[in-house]
Amino acid sequence: MIFRNKTMVFSSKEEVEAYKSAVAETLQSNFGVRWDFRTANADDERALAMALACLSEFYIHFACEDEEVQKYLNDLQTRRGNKEFYLKG
């Protein structure tokens, strides 16, 4: 990952997946964010969406030259905007 003019540029899907897992672990262990083996992928996505949302507050954007990864990053932002990650209960 590199930064270009306030844009975090990911190099591959594998890099995004590695950050997704690391972010989930950090948020769970340091901030008590929910994580469960049964819902691991959804919980990891929720954690990554939270991290991207926080970085967005600093006007940091996200990009990848791989179209599939860029679509995934855009989708996370859209789903966050639609409150799909909001925990009910």
Side-chain angles (χ1 to χ4, degrees), residues 23-65:
V23 165
E25 183 177 331
T26 297
L27 289 176
Q28 193 275 327
S29 63
N30 294 332
F31 299 99
V33 172
R34 185 185 82 185
W35 193 91
D36 188 295
F37 284 105
R38 296 169 295 183
T39 57
N41 190 53
D43 293 343
D44 286 359
E45 281 196 335
R46 181 179 296 110
L48 182 60
M50 289 167 60
L52 296 180
C54 290
L55 290 170
S56 291
E57 293 297 323
F58 294 97
Y59 302 102
I60 294 174
H61 306 281
F62 313 97
C64 185
E65 291 180 9

